[in-house]
Amino acid sequence: MPYQYSILLVEDEEKLCNLIKDELQTNGYKVETASDGIRAEQLFYSRKFSLVILDLSLPGKNGFELCKTFRATNKKIPIVILTAFGEIQNKVDAFDFGADDYIVKPFHFEELIARIKTLLKKTEISKLNDNDIIVIEDLEINNNSKRVFRANNEISLTAKEFLLLKLLAVNKGRITSKQEILEKVWDLSFDTGTNTIEVYISFLRNKIDKPFERKLIYTKSNFGYYIK
């Protein structure tokens, strides 16, 4: 299965780092690791990550410095502090430097995964709202006016159709799974077993693709849907 999200894990305790990495990969995340602050910075600037998990006590550069630097560089990437430091002042400092969440060791993997999912979902929803106008080929989606045009012809969509189309467009070229669609369009965390998504994809195709020679909406069997 192709990875949807990539995580930078910065942890200097090798055994714990490997345990966290294995758990994240089991849950479908791609993981890059760094055991010191210098390597963490190198990875952060050379790769594109969806989220950072950051220890505070690190050789080279500590987690507070990294958090401040990462936040200054990228205003929106979620940063999770995972540390043995449980003092209130440490938490306050971390949030002041731009952290989105703070988890004290020892911790439960279930809690870590749940918080990661929540932060990534918020980030994706924010991305949906940030794009005023999305243009793909001759398709134009105006997020402010909620109007859609194809080859300069206005296409009338329902609210759910618009959200679904916008999600696919924001993820242009990337496969969007049914689970992601359920979470971000229908606000459901589980598959109800209905064919609602298939029905709405069909609605979109009839409006967006059928009247035009060039097709934009595609299906990858057993994976999801994408626009190209």
Side-chain angles (χ1 to χ4, degrees):
M1 183 178 73
Y3 293 110
Q4 181 179 340
Y5 298 109
S6 179
I7 293 176
L8 173 58
L9 170 61
V10 189
E11 169 61 61
D12 65 334
E13 187 181 331
E14 184 178 0
K15 185 177 179 180
L16 178 59
C17 184
N18 289 333
L19 284 172
I20 298 172
K21 180 179 179 180
D22 288 345
E23 188 70 22
L24 292 172
Q25 289 178 330
T26 298
N27 281 270
Y29 300 107
K30 182 179 180 181
V31 183
E32 295 272 1
T33 63
S35 59
D36 64 79
I38 305 302
R39 178 58 178 160
E41 272 195 323
Q42 291 172 345
L43 286 172
F44 186 82
Y45 290 121
S46 63
R47 314 280 170 83
K48 184 177 181 180
F49 293 102
S50 309
L51 179 141
V52 176
I53 299 174
L54 190 58
D55 192 7
L56 290 180
S57 180
L58 295 165
K61 265 192 175 182
N62 67 46
F64 289 118
E65 293 179 88
L66 291 176
C67 183
K68 188 176 181 179
T69 301
F70 292 169
R71 178 56 69 227
T73 304
N74 187 326
K75 301 295 184 186
K76 296 186 178 180
I77 187 168
I79 300 174
V80 179
I81 302 299
L82 185 62
T83 180
F85 299 155
E87 291 80 4
I88 291 297
Q89 191 57 52
N90 288 325
K91 295 180 181 180
V92 171
D93 290 342
F95 286 121
D96 283 345
F97 287 141
D100 295 281
D101 208 341
Y102 194 106
I103 301 175
V104 178
K105 302 172 184 173
F107 63 95
H108 294 286
F109 281 114
E110 293 84 354
E111 181 183 7
L112 175 62
I113 297 299
R115 295 200 189 187
I116 288 171
K117 287 181 176 178
T118 298
L119 287 171
L120 289 173
K121 182 177 180 181
K122 288 180 179 178
T123 303
E124 290 299 321
I125 291 172
S126 175
K127 284 182 184 177
L128 286 180
N129 295 328
D130 282 348
N131 292 271
D132 292 335
I133 298 177
I134 306 170
V135 177
I136 301 174
E137 298 289 341
D138 58 353
L139 175 68
E140 180 180 307
I141 303 167
N142 190 310
N143 191 42
N144 293 323
S145 66
K146 302 297 185 282
R147 298 172 73 187
V148 175
F149 298 85
R150 178 101 199 253
N152 295 319
N153 298 294
E154 185 166 4
I155 298 169
S156 178
L157 299 180
T158 66
K160 290 298 185 187
E161 289 170 350
F162 181 85
L163 280 175
L164 177 54
L165 178 64
K166 188 168 67 168
L167 176 61
L168 295 176
V170 167
N171 293 340
K172 177 186 173 184
R174 176 171 73 79
I175 297 169
T176 306
S177 68
K178 288 181 64 177
Q179 185 59 45
E180 185 178 352
I181 292 171
L182 283 171
E183 290 176 357
K184 293 171 184 171
V185 178
W186 277 271
D187 200 25
L188 294 172
S189 58
F190 60 93
D191 190 343
T192 60
T194 68
N195 65 339
T196 301
I197 294 175
E198 289 85 351
V199 169
Y200 272 81
I201 289 289
S202 178
F203 289 161
L204 277 185
R205 282 184 168 136
N206 284 335
K207 295 179 178 182
I208 300 297
D209 277 350
K210 191 174 181 179
F212 305 93
E213 182 178 352
R214 179 169 173 76
K215 309 308 176 189
L216 296 177
I217 302 172
Y218 292 83
T219 302
K220 186 166 180 62
S221 184
N222 298 322
F223 287 97
Y225 306 93
Y226 62 102
I227 282 183
K228 71 171 186 178

